[in-house]
């Protein structure tokens, strides 16, 4: 007996079934997630290795190739792609759809461990990560100003925008693109270094020796206990300029004798610019797996409008 004949013979049952389907449809409509792409987690594993100071050729021959050769023997691999850049190697391993992501990650991690003996001894340990299908930004907020430096914009992006936006329900991470972190940059004159018979390694050793804060213990009495703190950290450019590099024939050679120190961005090799060539920073919103992108975007725009009323007038906010 088919469904059509059953519905004709029992009309009440067919009406109840239709009402149940209708009710479930109405309920599902309000809980249905809306997104641009389907929720698919591809079995992709990435291997990232850092080797500071190495050029791309060294990265390719001493890191990328040994790791690729070791990983290529894993069953179920669909493609292997790699990028060897200055001081960094990234290998992307994509498996066939029928492979389990957890098992594939464990296999890659095991092969990378075997290949560690083939890598340079001073290389940073490789990082094996599972690629998340949702680990891409859905909204990028741009922040720029013609009166503030990128260091100041980075502070505003981290302390104001990131703090307020990362609490949006469904947001996994907030990334800052083009950020500039404060650092003390040491500039050395090679002619003056040679004149004092010094090398950059001597300067590095002096920084490691002098710019340090060690535990000093405490002083105890019958009714008093005092904690001792050593102020060994260098804080200002003048502190670094007065750093003693070496003592030669009774004369102290300081950093200011062979160069100078200045407070500047940690990374000066890259920059992010918007329309008109104005430097800017970006605040990228990363959703959680399965989160409703529409709800995240609606709350994002609501909070941004509130933030526009609180930030200084010279800061311009846009959507990238």
């Amino acid at each position: 007996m088919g469904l059509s004949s059953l519905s004709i013979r029992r009309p009440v049952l067919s009406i109840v079934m239709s009402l149940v389907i209708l009710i479930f449809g109405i309920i599902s409509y309000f809980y249905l997630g809306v997104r641009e792409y389907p929720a698919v987690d591809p079995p992709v594993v990435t291997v990232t290795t850092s080797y500071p100071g190495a050029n791309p050729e060294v990265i390719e021959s001493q890191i990328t190739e040994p790791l690729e050769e070791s990983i290529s023997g894993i069953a179920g691999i669909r493609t292997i792609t790699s990028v060897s850049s200055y001081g960094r190697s990234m290998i992307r391993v994509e498996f066939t759809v029928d492979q389990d992501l957890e098992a594939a990650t464990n296999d890659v991690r095991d092969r990378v461990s075997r290949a560690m003996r083939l890598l340079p001894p001073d290389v940073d340990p490789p990082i094996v990560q599972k690629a998340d299908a949702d680990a891409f930004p859905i909204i990028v907020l741009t922040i720029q100003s013609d009166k503030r430096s990128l260091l100041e914009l980075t502070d505003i992006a981290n302390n104001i925008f990131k703090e307020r936006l990362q609490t949006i329900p469904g947001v996994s991470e907030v990334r800052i693109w083009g950020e500039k972190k404060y650092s003390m940059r040491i500039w050395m004159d090679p002619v003056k270094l040679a004149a004092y018979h010094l090398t950059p390694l001597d300067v590095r050793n002096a920084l490691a020796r002098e710019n340090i804060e060690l535990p000093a213990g405490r002083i105890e009495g019958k009714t008093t206990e005092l904690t001792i703190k050593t102020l060994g950290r260098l804080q200002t450019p003048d502190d670094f300029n007065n750093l003693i590099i070496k003592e030669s024939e009774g004369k102290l050679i300081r950093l200011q004798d062979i160069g100078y120190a200045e407070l500047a961005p940690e990374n000066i090799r890259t920059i992010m610019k918007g329309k008109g060539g104005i430097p800017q920073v970006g605040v990228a919103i990363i959703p959680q797996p399965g989160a409703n992108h529409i709800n995240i975007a609606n709350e994002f725009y609501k909070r941004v409008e509130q933030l526009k009323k609180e930030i200084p007038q010279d800061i311009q906010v846009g959507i990238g």
Side-chain angles (χ1 to χ4, degrees):
M1 182 173 58
L3 179 61
S4 57
S5 59
L6 177 63
S7 301
I8 293 173
R9 295 180 57 184
R10 297 186 178 181
V12 176
L13 176 62
S14 62
I15 294 175
V16 171
M17 293 173 58
S18 301
L19 290 176
V20 169
I21 295 174
L22 183 61
I23 292 173
F24 274 102
I26 294 174
I27 295 174
S28 301
Y29 174 79
F30 292 100
Y31 290 94
L32 184 65
V34 181
R35 52 184 295 153
E36 184 178 3
Y37 300 107
V40 177
D41 289 328
V44 176
V45 181
T46 60
V47 182
T48 306
T49 310
S50 297
Y51 192 16
N55 58 52
E57 289 77 10
V58 173
I59 295 292
E60 174 71 21
S61 60
Q62 298 189 20
I63 297 179
T64 304
E65 289 183 356
L67 289 177
E68 282 185 339
E69 185 176 353
S70 179
I71 295 173
S72 61
I74 301 176
I77 292 180
R78 186 168 178 261
T79 59
I80 297 180
T81 57
S82 63
V83 176
S84 299
S85 57
Y86 185 84
R88 180 184 175 90
S89 168
M90 188 181 73
I91 302 175
R92 184 178 186 272
V93 185
E94 181 178 350
F95 292 84
T96 55
V97 180
D98 58 337
Q99 295 294 320
D100 180 69
L101 182 58
E102 294 294 336
T105 305
N106 293 333
D107 291 340
V108 173
R109 190 176 289 113
D110 180 63
R111 291 302 182 100
V112 169
S113 299
R114 295 183 191 178
M116 282 295 297
R117 60 184 179 82
L118 304 176
L119 305 183
D122 53 345
V123 69
D124 293 341
I127 300 175
V128 180
Q129 293 178 312
K130 295 179 292 184
D132 190 351
D134 287 326
F136 63 90
I138 57 174
I139 306 176
V140 179
L141 180 74
T142 59
I143 306 172
Q144 62 182 19
S145 173
D146 53 0
K147 297 181 180 180
R148 300 175 186 266
S149 65
L150 288 177
L151 290 170
E152 295 175 297
L153 290 179
T154 299
D155 281 345
I156 293 174
N158 277 291
N159 299 329
I160 298 180
F161 285 90
K162 183 177 180 179
E163 290 293 330
R164 194 75 62 87
L165 297 177
Q166 67 184 2
T167 57
I168 295 177
V171 171
S172 171
E173 181 185 359
V174 177
R175 299 175 185 173
I176 307 298
W177 291 354
E179 65 176 339
K180 299 295 181 182
K181 298 180 180 179
Y182 283 96
S183 68
M184 193 67 67
R185 301 190 68 87
I186 307 298
W187 300 92
M188 293 171 283
D189 188 333
V191 177
K192 294 181 180 180
L193 282 174
Y196 286 106
H197 303 288
L198 295 173
T199 64
L201 183 59
D202 295 323
V203 178
R204 177 185 177 185
N205 293 336
L207 286 170
R209 182 178 63 251
E210 303 293 339
N211 187 26
I212 187 172
E213 188 168 329
L214 298 173
R218 64 178 182 267
I219 299 177
E220 296 181 359
K222 292 183 178 180
T223 59
T224 306
E225 179 177 304
L226 300 176
T227 301
I228 302 176
K229 181 180 180 181
T230 59
L231 302 178
R233 287 288 186 182
L234 305 178
Q235 302 291 338
T236 64
D238 290 337
D239 293 340
F240 281 86
N241 287 326
N242 292 322
L243 173 68
I244 298 176
I245 305 299
K246 183 181 179 182
E247 181 181 359
S248 178
E249 299 178 356
K251 180 181 179 182
L252 298 178
I253 303 174
R254 302 179 184 273
L255 178 62
Q256 60 189 2
D257 297 325
I258 53 94
Y260 65 94
E262 68 169 351
L263 189 63
E266 179 181 336
N267 176 17
I268 60 175
R269 298 172 59 245
T270 60
I271 193 171
M272 180 179 177
K273 293 185 178 181
K275 293 182 180 180
I278 301 177
Q280 63 183 10
V281 296
V283 181
I285 307 299
I286 311 297
Q288 295 177 355
N292 191 316
H293 295 183
I294 302 300
N295 292 341
I296 295 176
N298 291 338
E299 182 64 23
F300 168 84
Y301 287 115
K302 184 187 302 182
R303 298 195 182 189
V304 169
E305 290 300 322
Q306 180 63 34
L307 285 170
K308 288 181 180 179
K309 303 175 183 178
E310 304 174 8
I311 59 178
Q313 297 294 327
D314 60 286
I315 297 179
Q316 303 173 12
V317 177
I319 303 298

